[in-house]
Amino acid sequence: MSDSKLLQQFVDSFSRLDDMLALDGAPVELIVKRDLDEWDRWQDESGCRDELEFWRPLRVETNPEALETLYARISGRFPVLYEQLVLSIRWMEVYLGVIRLLPNPPGADLTGLSKTIFDDRALTETLIPAGYVPFARAPHNYDPMCFDLNAMSARGDCPIIQFEHESILCDLKIGEHWQRWASFRDLMSDVIFLDAD
């Protein structure tokens, strides 16, 4: 499968696996209102009906130079497919069954993505100097899922490691960790075929 088709199928799985409900503070550029024909409305006790707002990924072509400031902070590069994803699509945090992908919000550059990566200071000050860059969380807890930049291949991909968060947050040290996928490409394939029946 071509990289562009793999990326498109990965983004298409957002709406298949997540309810995509827009919470307070969701960027207006991502919000869509669903037609009544497509979605039910919620009805409160008084019989008033309120329309729910949802978000959808937004195609935004971004100059690759926008990554350079972020790359300087992480002392490495993202896997090629993740780089293509962040340079072409903006999204909110999204639940994808096996991970919760951190948001890449709209903006003139990738400042929003940088903020989400560095949002938890204890995690980033422990993981990034060791060569691990958080890009997602485990589906049901706070464990960071990270790119292992120490093992970047010549093809521009690397393993994805899950870190037990309590050792980092309590003791500022890396504790238990597990390789979850051999590459971002493998993760994308797993998400695409998750509940695809």
Side-chain angles (χ1 to χ4, degrees):
M1 176 183 313
S2 72
D3 287 355
S4 60
K5 186 171 182 180
L6 185 66
L7 282 167
Q8 186 57 55
Q9 288 186 358
F10 182 69
V11 172
D12 289 346
S13 16
F14 290 13
S15 61
R16 185 171 49 81
L17 298 171
D18 192 293
D19 63 14
M20 310 220 12
L21 188 60
L23 303 175
D24 289 341
V28 69
E29 301 95 325
L30 300 183
I31 294 178
V32 293
K33 293 193 185 276
R34 306 287 182 165
D35 293 336
L36 282 176
D37 296 341
E38 296 177 31
W39 293 88
D40 293 332
R41 290 188 182 198
W42 293 84
Q43 189 169 2
D44 66 18
E45 294 175 359
S46 66
C48 298
R49 298 177 80 116
D50 294 323
E51 190 171 332
L52 294 176
E53 291 183 328
F54 297 84
W55 68 272
R56 48 73 178 109
L58 180 65
R59 182 163 288 284
V60 176
E61 294 301 326
T62 307
N63 187 323
E65 291 178 9
L67 283 167
E68 295 310 314
T69 302
L70 183 51
Y71 284 166
R73 290 184 76 187
I74 64 173
S75 300
R77 299 183 71 83
F78 293 138
V80 172
L81 284 171
Y82 184 75
E83 183 177 277
Q84 291 173 16
L85 179 68
V86 301
L87 289 174
S88 61
I89 304 291
R90 302 303 175 94
W91 66 88
M92 298 299 300
E93 180 176 277
V94 59
Y95 172 78
L96 298 175
V98 294
I99 63 164
R100 284 179 296 133
L101 192 62
L102 296 177
N104 180 25
D109 54 23
L110 296 173
T111 303
L113 175 65
S114 184
K115 183 181 180 315
T116 62
I117 289 171
F118 287 89
D119 192 41
D120 189 313
R121 194 170 161 188
L123 292 179
T124 55
E125 287 183 359
T126 303
L127 294 169
I128 289 178
Y132 304 108
V133 179
F135 74 98
R137 300 223 189 286
H140 304 296
N141 65 35
Y142 199 68
D143 287 357
M145 301 287 220
C146 298
F147 296 124
D148 181 358
L149 301 187
N150 304 299
M152 187 67 73
S153 73
R155 295 185 64 190
D157 211 340
C158 62
I160 294 171
I161 311 294
Q162 177 177 345
F163 291 88
E164 179 268 319
H165 68 277
E166 290 178 6
S167 294
I168 299 170
L169 297 180
C170 296
D171 302 321
L172 299 177
K173 68 177 186 176
I174 294 175
E176 288 189 71
H177 54 285
W178 313 266
Q179 180 174 309
R180 294 293 309 276
W181 291 274
S183 67
F184 186 63
R185 180 179 297 277
D186 289 350
L187 165 62
M188 291 175 73
S189 296
D190 280 0
V191 167
I192 290 166
F193 293 109
L194 189 67
D195 298 325
D197 305 345

